Amino acid sequence: MLFTHALVLAGLAISSSAAPVEERQTQCSAYTLINIRGTGESQGESSGFRTVNSQVRSQVSGGSVYNTVYPASFSQNSASGTRDIVSRVATILRSNPNACIILEGYSQGAAATVDAMSELTGASYDAVKSVLLFGNPKHKSGLACNVDQNGGTTTLNVNGISASRYSAGIPANWVAKTLDVCNCGDGVCDTTHGRGINAEHLEYPRSTSIQRLSTNYIVGRLRGTA
């Protein structure tokens, strides 16, 4: 597989009332954008996040990009990507305990990112300022972090191809700092309006609205204004 929003902002406002979270929101003098690509993309920065990351770094100083290392193969076995995300967060924090982290995942990479959430606890959890997901196979109906390509609600109540009543999906404590963007009709994250890998699933890198929405979200989280 290669592949503003009132509900999310309301959730963020509630979560930011806790002092420890708010304290971290003011300390992003250094941050790393950890991105993980979708199936078939070459090792390196995912096409979905190149524009977002460039725009974020131009607006907020102190940023670097880490490209998660894993096969991104058609077997859909993303376990090594999940391990690399968890390992990289720990490595960054050993070097700089005050560093901020942004997690980004596209398609299979989004699934690997969701799987990493339950393993990022304590200081690692606190360091992650936000999570940005595109075309998430584990997109689960009804979560406050669900938005469509315009930051709206057309994909609020849809499920991805790997979502089920038995799958954990995004943990409850991660919802307030996640933006799960599902382009309406993307058959990977929106099985109600689309089937499988289609044009909508490949649209994220080219969509001006998605790129703008995502850039504004991350910049706001880094600056502590969202």
Side-chain angles (χ1 to χ4, degrees), residues 106 183 185-187 195-204 206:
Y106 185 7
N183 191 20
D186 173 354
R195 290 188 65 181
I197 300 169
N198 54 16
E200 288 81 2
H201 186 63
L202 304 177
E203 184 64 22
Y204 299 90
R206 299 185 294 272

Side-chain angles (χ1 to χ4, degrees), residues 114-164:
V114 172
D115 289 342
M117 291 176 175
S118 62
E119 300 184 40
L120 295 169
T121 60
S124 294
Y125 170 81
D126 291 339
V128 177
K129 299 295 297 178
S130 66
V131 181
L132 175 63
L133 305 174
F134 288 165
N136 177 20
K138 297 191 175 188
H139 183 92
K140 202 157 189 178
S141 172
L143 298 185
C145 58
N146 295 349
V147 298
D148 62 19
Q149 66 277 10
N150 298 309
T153 60
T154 62
T155 54
L156 171 63
N157 294 311
V158 301
N159 285 304
I161 59 175
S162 298
S164 75

Side-chain angles (χ1 to χ4, degrees), residues 157-209:
N157 294 311
V158 301
N159 285 304
I161 59 175
S162 298
S164 75
R165 62 192 302 181
Y166 305 108
S167 65
I170 297 171
N173 62 323
W174 283 86
V175 170
K177 55 179 170 183
T178 298
L179 191 69
D180 192 350
V181 184
C182 179
N183 191 20
C184 187
D186 173 354
V188 172
C189 59
D190 174 11
T191 57
T192 299
H193 305 107
R195 290 188 65 181
I197 300 169
N198 54 16
E200 288 81 2
H201 186 63
L202 304 177
E203 184 64 22
Y204 299 90
R206 299 185 294 272
S207 169
T208 301
S209 62

Side-chain angles (χ1 to χ4, degrees), residues 33-117:
L33 301 153
I34 299 178
N35 79 103
I36 176 166
R37 67 202 192 281
T39 305
E41 288 191 277
S42 301
Q43 176 62 45
E45 192 170 13
S46 172
S47 62
F49 304 113
R50 288 181 194 135
T51 298
V52 171
N53 291 346
S54 176
Q55 292 178 348
V56 168
R57 295 177 70 194
S58 72
Q59 294 181 49
V60 183
S61 62
S64 61
V65 174
Y66 177 75
N67 304 317
T68 302
V69 179
Y70 89 122
S73 67
F74 289 91
S75 71
Q76 302 303 310
N77 185 345
S78 59
S80 62
T82 294
R83 289 193 297 270
D84 193 47
I85 292 169
V86 175
S87 174
R88 178 53 51 171
V89 171
T91 298
I92 291 169
L93 294 181
R94 280 195 297 271
S95 175
N96 179 5
N98 293 318
C100 296
I101 310 290
I102 304 295
L103 301 181
E104 304 168 329
Y106 185 7
S107 196
Q108 183 184 170
T113 303
V114 172
D115 289 342
M117 291 176 175

Side-chain angles (χ1 to χ4, degrees), residues 24-31 60-61 98 100 129 221-222:
R24 289 205 61 84
Q25 288 181 345
T26 63
Q27 297 179 354
C28 284
S29 57
Y31 64 93
V60 183
S61 62
N98 293 318
C100 296
K129 299 295 297 178
R221 294 295 289 176
L222 289 170

